[in-house]
Amino acid sequence: MESTTTTREAKLLRRNPSDHHDSGGGGGNDLISHLSDDILAHILASLPSMTDVMRACAVSRRWRHLGARVPVLRFFCLDHDFSEQEKLDRFIAFVNNILARRADDGTSTTVVEELEISFKLFNSRCMSGGSKRVVPSVDVAQVDAWIQYGMQHVSKSFTLQLNYMLPLNLHNSNSSNGCMQVLGSNKLMITCGGGATRLESMVLSLNKACLRRLPTNVTLDSLVHLTLEDVDDLNQLLSTARCPSLRKLCLHKLTVSPATTTDQSLHLESNELLKVSLDWIWSRALVLELRTPRLRVFHTRNASIGRLVISAPRLEELTFFYTRVASIVQVEDMPCVRIFETEMSSLRRPECNDHVNQTRIRLLRCCKFLQFLTLHLTITQKDGHDSAEVELIKDIPQLPHATSLSLQVFAQAEYCKRPTGIGTQNQRDHHIISLEHLQDIKITSAYRRQYEARLLKFLHASAPALKKMIVAFISAFMLSQSLQICAKECEEFLHSIPLNKEGKWAFCYHGAHMQDFTTFEWTPIKKVECRQIVHMD
């Protein structure tokens, strides 16, 4: 009888940790149980996903209600061989169940600050199988419902990502296998009214889905950051009337549908935009127009567009990397640009007649106060005596305020016999680059060849104020396996270059990000003045 009573008392003590002594340390005192619900909810919000949150809430009766107070909801569906629709349906039901309970509560303690729903699935069986295999799919209406929930109930950040290997389908399609990819015909319809649109950041990666038919009363007044990936035709969502407070815009793998049969356009006109990033946008007929008076950063990489119009007088940082422009660039002066990264080539394929170098030179001429320039040079040599790399540098307009130059030098095989690069033009028309104030130069290259030696010699002779030059060789392209042998061969190569300035080369290490490079640094030798001592008799 006494043992039974003792067992009940022990259980009561475990259920009521507040009756324990407040002394810290040992004695079995449970300190975490004395924390408030707000602090516990904040701790649970740091867990990787909602699956982990629900598991943590199941360990204690007191914690069971904390799942409804967590301000951050993360749902991840990760599977490298996701071949069963039933598994996907269970995950979707799990997401909808939690979102429904949070929406029905509606109290201030259940505010969703961040919501992330991410599918990262690769179905190897269905991708390699026949057409009769049923591919797991997500109903387009379900995705539409998630987007509406994010716009109506999330206060800060909403992210929805569908992996490229997971088709976004319509279950009620007439396809033989019950699945049909959303390419251009299936549309996601945003039907949220003029309710609470407190959302500040939205990331949509929808696997080539279309977001169209937006109601006229939908405005995202508080939206500051918008990222769109694999989404078709969102001109109307990018307008100032839709997102008047938008400051950061990122577009990745965007397909711009033609307004007419021949014309495609993407107009970004905003008085609030501060940063624009465009990656993997391919449309030779696209007209990209930027009219952003407060824009500070503009990045474009791996893009192909028809015509570019830039009006950004306050732009400070510009990246124009592997971007082809078919027609002439219309760009105003950008006196505030201090950082510019781009590429130039000494020889182009004849079929790629897009005037790559001319476009870059035109942009450089609009950046008269540029200080930090990064160039990716692609050098194609016909023989060992060709000086295309030096002529390519000479084509750069005068940059009297430039203090730092970073060169990424690459070698290519010759594409054709007839040079088409701008480096083959008459040298009398060139404006020699001004390196009078250049103090810092960094060159990254793969091989030790004559074009690198000529380039180093030219830069040393053209930069009288040079204080430091770093040359990094990619170790993977070295014939020798030993790092010591690679360093010795590189040092011998550098010492063989006749320079007109006295200096010394020294092996250096520049952190883990440069571990695949054999790096040397050149610094000038400071001359010590010798004063003659005159003896007075």
Side-chain angles (χ1 to χ4, degrees):
M1 191 67 177
E2 293 180 357
S3 61
T4 304
T5 305
T6 304
T7 303
R8 291 178 179 175
E9 292 177 354
K11 290 182 179 180
L12 290 175
L13 288 175
R14 287 197 298 268
R15 294 177 181 177
N16 298 284
S18 60
D19 295 337
H20 291 188
H21 297 289
D22 293 335
S23 60
N29 187 26
D30 187 6
L31 297 179
I32 196 172
S33 297
H34 294 282
L35 299 176
S36 64
D37 290 349
D38 293 337
I39 296 178
L40 291 175
H42 179 75
I43 295 174
L44 291 174
S46 62
L47 293 177
S49 67
M50 280 304 298
T51 303
D52 301 311
V53 172
M54 300 308 293
R55 289 174 180 173
C57 293
V59 303
S60 173
R61 289 186 178 181
R62 181 197 169 193
W63 286 25
R64 290 180 182 178
H65 72 283
L66 293 178
R69 299 174 63 95
V70 177
V72 179
L73 307 182
R74 303 186 186 95
F75 301 93
F76 297 104
C77 190
L78 307 177
D79 201 319
H80 293 284
D81 195 9
F82 205 92
S83 59
E84 298 181 11
Q85 181 68 42
E86 184 181 356
K87 294 181 180 179
L88 183 58
D89 291 339
R90 286 200 301 264
F91 174 78
I92 295 175
F94 172 69
V95 175
N96 292 337
N97 185 25
I98 294 180
L99 295 183
R101 285 188 294 175
R102 298 295 292 265
D104 293 339
D105 195 323
T107 61
S108 59
T109 59
T110 61
V111 173
V112 179
E113 296 181 358
E114 300 179 18
L115 172 61
E116 181 175 358
I117 304 175
S118 178
F119 293 86
K120 296 182 179 180
L121 313 178
F122 181 83
N123 195 323
S124 58
R125 297 178 183 177
C126 294
M127 295 300 295
S128 60
S131 59
K132 294 183 179 181
R133 291 179 178 268
V134 178
V135 181
S137 58
V138 182
D139 196 289
V140 67
Q142 177 60 75
V143 179
D144 184 26
W146 283 337
I147 295 177
Q148 295 180 37
Y149 185 96
M151 290 185 174
Q152 293 177 350
H153 300 283
V154 181
S155 62
K156 291 184 178 180
S157 175
F158 170 59
T159 300
L160 177 59
Q161 294 180 330
L162 301 181
N163 185 270
Y164 186 77
M165 290 300 179
L166 177 69
L168 182 65
N169 301 310
L170 285 174
H171 290 308
N172 57 356
S173 65
N174 296 324
S175 178
S176 59
N177 60 356
C179 299
M180 182 176 65
Q181 285 192 353
V182 173
L183 296 177
S185 58
N186 301 326
K187 305 176 181 66
L188 296 175
M189 183 175 178
I190 302 178
T191 57
C192 60
T197 54
R198 302 164 296 175
L199 194 62
E200 297 179 4
S201 174
M202 182 167 62
V203 178
L204 297 179
S205 178
L206 301 180
N207 192 17
K208 297 298 180 184
C210 295
L211 283 177
R212 297 182 181 176
R213 298 185 295 177
L214 265 66
T216 56
N217 59 346
V218 174
T219 57
L220 301 174
D221 297 331
S222 59
L223 191 65
V224 176
H225 174 203
L226 177 61
T227 298
L228 303 174
E229 180 176 353
D230 276 333
V231 179
D232 288 354
D233 199 4
L234 279 179
N235 263 312
Q236 55 178 333
L237 184 58
L238 300 180
S239 63
T240 305
R242 302 284 187 180
C243 306
S245 304
L246 191 63
R247 296 184 179 180
K248 183 178 179 181
L249 175 64
C250 301
L251 303 179
H252 184 63
K253 295 181 181 179
L254 180 67
T255 302
V256 181
S257 301
T260 64
T261 57
T262 59
D263 180 45
Q264 298 181 15
S265 60
L266 179 61
H267 300 279
L268 299 178
E269 299 186 15
S270 174
N271 296 327
E272 301 296 330
L273 264 178
L274 300 178
K275 181 178 180 179
V276 175
S277 179
L278 309 177
D279 295 332
W280 292 100
I281 299 179
W282 297 93
S283 177
R284 296 300 296 266
L286 173 65
V287 177
L288 177 61
E289 186 173 351
L290 291 177
R291 299 193 182 277
T292 50
R294 297 183 59 187
L295 191 67
R296 296 293 190 272
V297 179
F298 177 47
H299 292 169
T300 172
R301 298 180 179 89
N302 299 300
S304 179
I305 56 180
R307 185 163 59 91
L308 179 65
V309 179
I310 300 179
S311 176
R314 298 185 182 180
L315 193 65
E316 299 175 357
E317 182 176 341
L318 174 61
T319 300
F320 205 79
F321 192 60
Y322 284 116
T323 299
R324 301 175 183 176
V325 180
S327 61
I328 300 176
V329 178
Q330 297 181 8
V331 56
E332 299 177 357
D333 286 342
M334 298 175 288
C336 297
V337 173
R338 299 294 181 266
I339 302 174
F340 187 20
E341 179 179 3
T342 188
E343 85 284 353
M344 297 182 68
S345 175
S346 65
L347 188 63
R348 300 293 300 173
R349 291 185 178 95
E351 63 269 18
C352 299
N353 188 18
D354 53 359
H355 309 289
V356 173
N357 295 342
Q358 288 89 339
T359 302
R360 275 68 180 165
I361 292 174
R362 182 174 294 228
L363 291 174
L364 282 169
R365 288 173 179 170
C366 298
C367 307
K368 300 179 181 179
F369 297 92
L370 186 66
Q371 295 181 358
F372 305 94
L373 175 62
T374 299
L375 280 179
H376 299 258
L377 300 182
T378 302
I379 306 300
T380 305
Q381 294 178 299
K382 296 183 298 183
D383 50 59
H385 302 286
D386 187 20
S387 58
E389 72 288 339
V390 174
E391 301 301 333
L392 194 61
I393 291 293
K394 290 181 180 180
D395 289 325
I396 300 175
Q398 293 189 11
L399 303 173
H401 300 277
T403 59
S404 179
L405 174 64
S406 179
L407 299 177
Q408 307 284 335
V409 185
F410 303 95
Q412 279 189 347
E414 186 177 4
Y415 291 122
C416 59
K417 296 181 180 180
R418 182 175 60 87
T420 59
I422 197 170
T424 62
Q425 294 179 355
N426 192 337
Q427 297 299 319
R428 290 177 298 178
D429 297 333
H430 290 166
H431 298 282
I432 306 300
I433 182 174
S434 176
L435 304 177
E436 296 180 0
H437 301 283
L438 200 62
Q439 301 179 6
D440 184 7
I441 298 177
K442 181 179 179 181
I443 301 177
T444 303
S445 186
Y447 300 100
R448 305 181 300 273
R449 294 182 176 180
Q450 291 300 319
Y451 67 84
E452 294 172 345
R454 290 192 296 266
L455 191 59
L456 287 173
K457 185 177 179 180
F458 169 77
L459 292 175
H460 269 275
S462 305
L466 187 63
K467 295 182 179 180
K468 180 175 65 175
M469 173 178 282
I470 297 175
V471 181
F473 300 93
I474 303 177
S475 303
F477 289 91
M478 302 296 179
L479 297 178
S480 304
Q481 299 297 325
S482 173
L483 179 62
Q484 290 77 9
I485 298 178
C486 290
K488 183 178 180 181
E489 293 177 353
C490 294
E491 186 176 10
E492 293 176 354
F493 169 76
L494 294 173
H495 282 292
S496 66
I497 303 174
L499 303 177
N500 63 339
K501 296 185 181 66
E502 294 185 7
K504 60 180 180 179
W505 292 99
F507 180 79
C508 59
Y509 178 75
H510 286 275
H513 66 285
M514 296 290 290
Q515 61 182 356
D516 295 331
F517 295 84
T518 301
T519 309
F520 283 84
E521 181 177 339
W522 178 91
T523 53
I525 297 177
K526 297 181 180 180
K527 296 182 179 180
V528 180
E529 297 182 359
C530 297
R531 297 181 180 179
Q532 184 178 3
I533 301 177
V534 180
H535 297 278
M536 301 296 294
D537 294 335

